[in-house]
Amino acid sequence: MDNHIEELLPFYALDVLTEEERELVEAYLAKHPEARAQLDELSRAASTLAQGVSPVEPSPQTKNALMARIGADQRRQSSVTKEPSRRVNRFESFFRTFSLAAAAVAIIWVIVLNFQVVRLRNEIASLNSSLAAQSTSLNQIIEKLPQANPSGAITVALKGTQAEPNAQGQLIADPASQSAVLVVTGLPPLETGRTYQVWLIAGAPVSAGLLTVDANGQGVLIITSTESIGSFKSLGISVEPAGGSPQPTGDIVVLSDL
Amino acid sequence: MRIKSESNLLRSNDQPSSSRLSDEVLASRAARGDSAALETLYDRHASTVLGLALKIIADRAAAEDILQETFWRVWKSADTFQPQRGSFTSWLFRIARNLAIDMYRRHSVRPQAVPNGEAGESVLDQTPDPDMDVANQAQAAMENKQVRTAMMSLSGVQRQVIEMAYFHGMTRQEIAEATGEALGTIHTRARLALQKLREELERQKFEG
């Protein structure tokens, strides 16, 4: 027990502590119920002190002034509540009708919304399954591409950089031709104002076109180059402002040797 | 006693007159806007409140103002009174005392000498109040005597500390300075005084 705080208890009971002292005591009391019990006894004793004074008969004017003040206060209070009370019957019946109508509307709205929710859920389910079907089919395409090559076409596996480690793809091309097909997965869709740009790199990068990915991060690009595909050493994909750039400026997300 | 007899009355089928209801019941009625209940509380306790105010500021006109203001605050904040935290009179006297001490400090009115703890500083000035019913008057008179007797059981210096704190709102540091005593001595005296007061009132079966 903190003797210093407990020494303040009688003065707390007598209500002569400073604000800080009061707070100290109250914090102490919160943690020490036995001190609270002690304080209660001291407080009870202190509160009797007023009853030990000699009572003095007040002048009648004091009571008259008090009761007049109370009367005025009562009139003020009742004038505030009077106006609404006169209209209360009309208001009550209006409110009753209004609340019934409101309740009916609310019930109908709930039913309508429930139908909407069910319909939307079904839509979402079918969208999900078609999306799944699409990514399955895209993955199948990617897997099968090496088998579906016409003679001369080769497939180069592409990997994401540290910026997009999950990105991967395939470039399917006949090195002698100037066309190729690029298939990419694992690239996150970009916000408006930015686009992926594909580069074919011999010495300096040459733009091979802008690549759009869908919500699943998959994209396909038909590349037509001015040179044969085989003349390039590597392929890269970078993030560029919408419309592309003459040279790569943004993060490089895919970079692989061909 | 007052409260027991009133609870019997409340259980009866007749509506008791408001003068027989307990302070706490009257306070809850006043909280609901019953000015007659407030008037009964006033009739019952005004002379004690005025006596208390006078003991603190010793200016009759100011003390009557404090009396009026005290009961005005009771009227306006009766809904904040919580019976489980203490009696109505403790709450009432606390309001009155705080108002009086504030005025005392604001105006630095100190017409009274610092009390020296001597007994019998004022003669009993108990004029019977015709508006208060006899049972309550008798009760109040008995409680007054009990508290005064209990105060007389304290030593002079113990009584002095209590009176300086309670009736003059002096802090423990101010009391130490005024009396020339160490702070520790003042602490001990205050604690012993209140403990002795409590024991003495228990011995007298004080119910107020």
Side-chain angles (χ1 to χ4, degrees):
Chain A
M1 293 214 191
D2 188 332
N3 281 331
H4 167 67
I5 304 280
E6 293 212 351
E7 286 198 356
L8 298 181
L9 293 182
F11 300 95
Y12 186 97
L14 291 161
D15 204 12
V16 288
L17 290 181
T18 64
E19 192 58 45
E20 291 99 347
E21 287 168 345
R22 282 188 68 86
E23 283 169 11
L24 262 175
V25 170
E26 280 160 9
Y28 182 82
L29 292 172
K31 295 188 191 134
H32 297 93
E34 67 285 358
R36 167 65 72 181
Q38 194 190 342
L39 174 66
D40 286 346
E41 287 189 351
L42 295 169
S43 296
R44 269 197 294 274
S47 69
T48 65
L49 291 167
Q51 288 164 283
V53 300
S54 307
V56 175
E57 183 65 25
S59 79
Q61 284 92 329
T62 302
K63 184 177 176 182
N64 293 341
L66 172 70
M67 297 316 293
R69 208 171 160 191
I70 289 173
D73 187 54
Q74 281 178 310
R75 284 189 293 279
R76 250 196 319 273
Q77 300 290 346
S78 71
S79 72
V80 164
T81 56
K82 221 180 222 171
E83 288 261 335
S85 74
R86 270 194 236 116
R87 292 200 289 264
V88 83
N89 289 333
R90 275 189 286 151
F91 182 70
E92 266 182 12
S93 63
F94 169 74
F95 186 71
R96 232 178 265 126
T97 315
F98 178 77
S99 61
L100 276 172
V105 167
I107 289 167
I108 292 167
W109 189 234
V110 164
I111 294 169
V112 166
L113 281 175
N114 270 330
F115 275 126
Q116 295 273 40
V117 164
V118 167
R119 190 171 60 78
L120 283 167
R121 281 208 186 116
N122 289 337
E123 271 192 37
I124 288 169
S126 69
L127 276 170
N128 273 338
S129 51
S130 73
L131 264 171
Q134 280 182 19
S135 30
T136 310
S137 55
L138 200 51
N139 283 332
Q140 282 169 351
I141 289 168
I142 290 170
E143 282 162 23
K144 285 184 178 152
L145 274 170
Q147 302 149 16
N149 283 342
S151 59
I154 58 163
T155 308
V156 179
L158 306 167
K159 287 211 172 44
T161 61
Q162 271 187 340
E164 291 294 349
N166 293 329
Q168 52 183 321
Q170 306 216 329
L171 185 72
I172 304 107
D174 181 343
S177 86
Q178 288 166 315
S179 301
V181 175
L182 172 68
V183 178
V184 163
T185 63
L187 275 183
L190 294 170
E191 67 273 20
T192 323
R194 302 217 295 168
T195 186
Y196 291 112
Q197 190 161 2
V198 182
W199 306 92
L200 285 168
I201 303 158
V206 171
S207 176
L210 300 179
L211 175 71
T212 315
V213 298
D214 64 12
N216 289 333
Q218 297 169 339
V220 177
L221 182 67
I222 310 289
I223 293 172
T224 310
S225 162
T226 51
E227 309 286 332
S228 65
I229 301 295
S231 66
F232 295 103
K233 295 282 186 291
S234 47
L235 180 141
I237 304 179
S238 71
V239 179
E240 299 299 331
S245 308
Q247 287 291 292
T249 63
D251 293 340
I252 301 187
V253 294
V254 168
L255 187 61
S256 290
D257 291 335
L258 297 175
Chain B
M1 302 311 295
R2 178 172 58 197
I3 293 174
K4 285 189 188 136
S5 65
E6 279 160 0
S7 64
N8 283 333
L9 284 166
L10 285 168
R11 280 202 291 273
S12 75
N13 289 331
D14 300 331
Q15 188 71 6
S17 71
S18 76
S19 65
R20 305 308 297 267
L21 296 172
S22 73
D23 290 343
E24 287 70 25
V25 169
L26 289 168
S28 75
R29 287 189 180 190
R32 294 194 298 274
D34 183 346
S35 62
L38 194 283
E39 192 176 350
T40 305
L41 287 168
Y42 181 91
D43 290 340
R44 207 176 269 184
H45 300 296
S47 55
T48 306
V49 170
L50 183 59
L52 174 61
L54 268 172
K55 193 162 166 84
I56 295 171
I57 57 174
D59 176 315
R60 184 65 190 243
E64 298 257 9
D65 285 346
I66 285 169
L67 167 62
Q68 196 195 134
E69 185 60 27
T70 298
F71 278 91
W72 172 250
R73 289 194 186 195
V74 167
W75 170 252
K76 292 303 279 183
S77 61
D79 57 340
T80 68
F81 165 63
Q82 295 171 303
Q84 66 273 20
R85 296 189 67 180
S87 67
F88 172 79
T89 46
S90 307
W91 183 66
L92 172 72
F93 297 146
R94 189 182 203 99
I95 295 172
R97 178 185 169 261
N98 287 344
L99 283 169
I101 297 280
D102 279 349
M103 184 180 284
Y104 176 73
R105 284 184 179 279
R106 269 203 317 272
H107 299 286
S108 304
V109 173
R110 281 186 187 245
Q112 294 191 130
V114 164
N116 58 10
E118 292 302 317
E121 72 274 2
S122 52
V123 176
L124 216 69
D125 177 12
Q126 220 171 350
T127 336
D129 182 344
D131 290 325
M132 216 202 320
D133 71 275
V134 172
N136 279 315
Q137 287 194 45
Q139 178 83 12
M142 187 172 74
E143 284 165 3
N144 180 267
K145 187 164 192 298
Q146 283 174 318
V147 173
R148 286 152 85 82
T149 306
M151 283 291 275
M152 292 314 301
S153 74
L154 305 182
S155 70
V157 291
Q158 287 173 347
R159 205 161 40 242
Q160 183 187 44
V161 166
I162 295 298
E163 292 196 347
M164 283 172 137
Y166 189 80
F167 295 110
H168 295 269
M170 289 167 79
T171 64
R172 44 202 189 98
Q173 290 88 347
E174 287 170 338
I175 296 170
E177 233 181 82
T179 57
E181 299 281 8
L183 206 50
T185 307
I186 301 304
H187 291 172
T188 307
R189 285 181 187 168
R191 182 174 47 82
L192 289 176
L194 287 178
Q195 282 172 350
K196 190 116 206 280
L197 197 60
R198 180 181 64 80
E199 284 159 11
E200 188 53 35
L201 288 171
E202 260 177 36
R203 197 186 62 76
Q204 296 184 62
K205 298 186 176 37
F206 181 79
E207 289 185 15

